[in-house]
Amino acid sequence: MEPTSERGNRRDEQREADMEKRRKADKEKLRGMEQQAVQRGMKVVKLDRLKAAFHLTRAWKRANEAGLRKEDFQDAVLSRLKRPHAKRQEFRLANWTLRRGEDPTTQPQLPEIYKNSPTPQKSLEPYLVGLAVAAEQCGEDPDDWKLDMMRDLSIWSRAVTPTDIAPPDDRPAETLEILLKALCAELAQRNRLDETFAAICRMNCRWDMFCERLVATDVACMQRIESPISPAYEVSLYFEEMFPFPSIPLLRVPYFVGKAEFLLAPEDVLRAQDENYLASGDYWPVGTAIKGNGGRHYCIPADAPDSRSANGTLAWYREIRLCIAPDGHGGYTSALESRPYVAVRFDADLPFGGRHHVVGGYELDLERGMFYGRDDDGGPVWPHIRMASGESWRITLPKRPDGSLPFAEWTERNPDTTGWYFEADPVLHAGEVGSEPWYLSYTPASAPYVRLWLTEDWRLADEPADNPWSRGNFDWDDLESRWNRDLPPIHELNFPDFSHATWIECCLHNGLIEEALQASIDRLKEQTGRLQADWHAARERHADALLRRWTTKSEEKDIQK
């Protein structure tokens, strides 16, 4: 017969194993309810609301006794809340706790007393976050405190089990919104982006959008906006006057595709002739550097040396970029920036064959030079394409005698409404054109906009949308490649449908988007630091020169006496 002590030990081991199994199942259930609290705004009502407030009141009391100040507790809870709330700018503990001595488990009159009271508030997430903060202060396991509360609530027994089939909802887009916001806020804090932005605002500089370069300027062009999405969305910001929010492209949506006859000429040959052509008086002035009068824009004269015509395809895209921007409330968030992106394609047997981004191209006719932008030699910048060899070709679309563009065929995104122009806000103001399409517009990277841009196919004629994060752009079949780092199975993603959102989500997991945003920040910080150092040295130099000049005059006067 087996000794009693051994049977008891086995029972204890089995009981501990059973408890650990139940605890694991409860933690999985807790994770699911935490997700619902963030993504769907799960609430606690009636008696559950008072029970949740009771648990938080008790937890806060213990944390306070352990040395946590009320202000620090409130700040910690606010910083961890993930669900967006338009009116929430602070977390006030008094709105989530009960009065001293109140206990809904022993005082049945409390539900009636609080029946019409807006407090304690109903959102579940702040209670869970508050319990976690308090538990950590007391050196306890946050899950134990959260499970202690959740098991006390009626919603715990009514929670959807993993085997239930959930109805269609917007949870994937809401989750992606949370992920993008969290990443941008973290990068802004980690890199002290507020210091970089403040340094830029103290200088006189402008942002070269095409070259992603911060340069000094003697004209007042940069719009020093506090936030592009708060209190209102920026919908008409001229691209040469933009503020350099760190950004990366998410998707390029074709709005116009057409076949046309282009005129091209070698950039190095033309630059030697530009000044003479502009001085002829036949053309309008370019930007702020060239003065004169004329009757048309200048790009490539009909008699330009070594110029040649070629048939090709032009694709006019709306580039949707993820940018890190101030949220208007003292923090940073994710935003979506729209800007024009022009690409051309020529047969491979031409000197400029292949597909190219048109640098300086911001109008459909590829004619006007940039107003503020200047090349390294100080001259104006006209639309041009750059070869891998380093050679550049200026490019334009010569108009027909009647003034029309030389397109043999074309397709527009919205032929019956906005044509190839962009809608500044396609969610709230669909079908309404903003300013000219070379003006930038901004919206939050919130679920409606994420869903709009990243879940549609967006093909136009034979031109697909261009997703830089698509798996085909990476060596994805190599298991050791960057693409496969920390990558979950596709079927476990929020977007397992091989849409544009799928590849964006993949590149959040494998870190490629984070690396690209960090590289954008690094470039901006390096350029800002270099420009600031040059400015400091120059202002000191000029001040010293002025002082020496005045001193020299005084000394000369003394000598004359």
Side-chain angles (χ1 to χ4, degrees):
M1 186 173 180
E2 189 175 353
T4 303
S5 60
E6 291 184 8
R7 289 201 305 270
N9 289 338
R10 284 217 306 271
R11 280 199 305 270
D12 290 342
E13 291 173 359
Q14 184 62 45
R15 186 175 67 253
E16 291 176 3
D18 291 341
M19 289 177 62
E20 183 59 28
K21 184 177 180 180
R22 287 196 299 271
R23 175 176 166 78
K24 183 178 180 181
D26 281 353
K27 288 180 70 173
E28 290 179 355
K29 187 175 181 179
L30 175 64
R31 295 286 93 82
M33 297 190 76
E34 286 178 319
Q35 284 188 344
Q36 291 187 53
V38 172
Q39 298 169 352
R40 304 182 68 179
M42 178 182 282
K43 297 183 183 300
V44 285
V45 297
K46 299 181 180 179
L47 184 59
D48 276 357
R49 173 174 65 127
L50 301 182
K51 286 182 177 180
F54 173 74
H55 279 269
L56 183 58
T57 304
R58 185 174 58 184
W60 153 243
K61 182 180 178 182
R62 289 188 56 183
N64 182 241
E65 291 171 350
L68 183 61
R69 297 170 60 248
K70 180 179 179 181
E71 294 78 10
D72 295 336
F73 178 79
Q74 293 178 143
D75 290 344
V77 174
L78 180 63
S79 68
R80 295 194 193 185
L81 294 177
K82 297 179 180 179
R83 181 168 177 82
H85 193 293
K87 297 181 180 179
R88 181 181 292 144
Q89 300 181 20
E90 61 179 352
F91 173 82
R92 298 185 63 184
L93 184 61
N95 292 338
W96 304 88
T97 53
L98 297 175
R99 301 182 188 94
R100 181 177 298 177
E102 291 182 334
D103 184 348
T105 63
T106 60
Q107 299 169 340
Q109 73 277 15
L110 282 185
E112 186 62 28
I113 293 174
Y114 281 95
K115 182 178 180 180
N116 297 316
S117 174
T119 61
Q121 295 189 14
K122 299 177 182 179
S123 295
L124 176 61
E125 185 196 15
Y127 292 111
L128 293 169
V129 172
L131 288 172
V133 172
E136 291 169 5
Q137 174 68 22
C138 297
E140 303 287 343
D141 186 342
D143 283 343
D144 288 342
W145 288 30
K146 288 187 282 188
L147 284 171
D148 187 37
M149 179 190 76
M150 293 302 299
R151 294 185 185 118
D152 202 20
L153 306 181
S154 64
I155 59 172
W156 182 253
S157 60
R158 299 198 307 266
V160 177
T161 63
T163 56
D164 290 334
I165 298 177
D169 60 20
D170 206 20
R171 188 180 306 176
E174 290 175 348
T175 301
L176 189 53
E177 171 189 347
I178 292 170
L179 294 174
L180 294 175
K181 180 179 180 180
L183 173 62
C184 290
E186 165 61 24
L187 287 174
Q189 182 179 15
R190 184 192 309 168
N191 291 278
R192 298 188 298 185
L193 205 53
D194 54 338
E195 297 178 7
T196 301
F197 284 4
I200 291 172
C201 289
R202 286 192 294 269
M203 298 186 288
N204 195 33
C205 50
R206 62 173 179 82
W207 180 248
D208 187 329
M209 183 182 79
F210 289 101
C211 298
E212 295 193 346
R213 181 175 59 180
L214 192 67
V215 295
T217 182
D218 290 330
V219 294
C221 53
M222 182 182 289
Q223 300 293 317
R224 292 167 172 80
I225 54 179
E226 293 186 7
S227 171
I229 57 172
S230 177
Y233 304 164
E234 283 286 344
V235 296
S236 58
L237 188 63
Y238 179 51
F239 75 92
E240 290 194 86
E241 298 176 352
M242 67 183 293
F243 192 87
F245 301 116
S247 67
I248 57 170
L250 288 183
L251 186 68
R252 299 183 184 110
V253 178
Y255 267 60
F256 179 97
V257 180
K259 298 183 182 300
E261 183 179 30
F262 296 82
L263 180 63
L264 300 96
E267 182 68 28
D268 56 350
V269 174
L270 264 184
R271 293 202 77 79
Q273 307 292 326
D274 287 336
E275 189 171 356
N276 293 332
Y277 278 114
L278 288 166
S280 68
D282 296 332
Y283 304 96
W284 284 317
V286 179
T288 58
I290 307 295
K291 303 299 180 184
N293 299 296
R296 63 184 187 276
H297 291 296
Y298 173 80
C299 185
I300 303 177
D303 60 346
D306 298 335
S307 62
R308 58 184 299 173
S309 298
N311 292 320
T313 301
L314 180 144
W316 170 274
Y317 294 93
R318 178 175 189 163
E319 184 175 73
I320 308 300
R321 297 177 70 91
L322 172 66
C323 69
I324 305 175
D327 61 9
H329 304 288
Y332 285 83
T333 188
S334 55
L336 298 180
E337 175 191 282
S338 285
R339 63 168 67 168
Y341 182 96
V342 187
V344 292
R345 186 168 56 248
F346 297 102
D347 291 340
D349 59 345
L350 295 170
F352 35 79
R355 186 181 186 275
H356 308 282
H357 172 220
V358 181
V359 180
Y362 61 95
E363 291 183 302
L364 202 62
D365 57 12
L366 304 179
E367 186 176 49
R368 268 200 286 182
M370 293 172 64
F371 189 81
Y372 298 110
R374 292 295 171 265
D375 209 330
D376 293 337
D377 62 4
V381 177
W382 285 276
H384 63 281
I385 57 177
R386 297 170 179 170
M387 308 296 108
S389 62
E391 184 183 15
S392 293
W393 287 77
R394 195 176 299 178
I395 183 170
T396 190
L397 284 169
K399 292 184 174 65
R400 298 186 178 113
D402 62 359
S404 62
L405 293 175
F407 285 104
E409 56 182 89
W410 69 88
T411 305
E412 297 177 342
R413 167 65 55 191
N414 302 304
D416 298 326
T417 54
T418 58
W420 55 275
Y421 274 50
F422 303 156
E423 302 159 293
D425 187 337
V427 171
L428 297 180
H429 301 285
E432 295 182 16
V433 172
S435 300
E436 289 84 356
W438 53 88
Y439 279 69
L440 310 185
S441 60
Y442 294 84
T443 67
S446 57
Y449 297 95
V450 167
R451 183 177 60 253
L452 169 72
W453 293 120
L454 301 183
T455 62
E456 300 291 334
D457 179 73
W458 292 118
R459 180 181 295 272
L460 182 65
D462 294 328
E463 198 72 29
D466 182 11
N467 187 338
W469 308 102
S470 175
R471 185 170 65 173
N473 295 328
F474 300 89
D475 190 15
W476 61 273
D477 56 350
D478 178 3
L479 296 180
E480 301 299 323
S481 69
R482 297 168 63 202
W483 173 267
N484 289 292
R485 292 179 306 186
D486 303 317
L487 193 64
I490 295 292
H491 71 272
E492 294 181 0
L493 296 176
N494 286 283
F495 295 93
D497 53 358
F498 294 89
S499 64
H500 299 299
T502 305
W503 310 131
I504 300 299
E505 189 177 359
C506 284
C507 289
L508 288 173
H509 281 286
N510 62 29
L512 290 172
I513 284 180
E514 180 180 354
E515 289 177 3
L517 274 174
Q518 183 61 58
S520 178
I521 294 172
D522 290 342
R523 287 193 298 271
L524 181 63
K525 289 172 69 73
E526 186 276 329
Q527 293 170 8
T528 302
R530 179 161 35 84
L531 207 61
Q532 186 181 58
D534 291 344
W535 172 45
H536 287 175
R539 71 186 187 186
E540 293 296 326
R541 185 172 66 253
H542 294 312
D544 289 343
L546 190 57
L547 290 172
R548 284 197 304 271
R549 193 176 79 195
W550 290 339
T551 303
T552 300
K553 286 184 177 180
S554 298
E555 291 174 350
E556 290 176 350
K557 215 172 202 181
D558 291 340
I559 292 173
Q560 290 175 359
K561 289 182 178 179

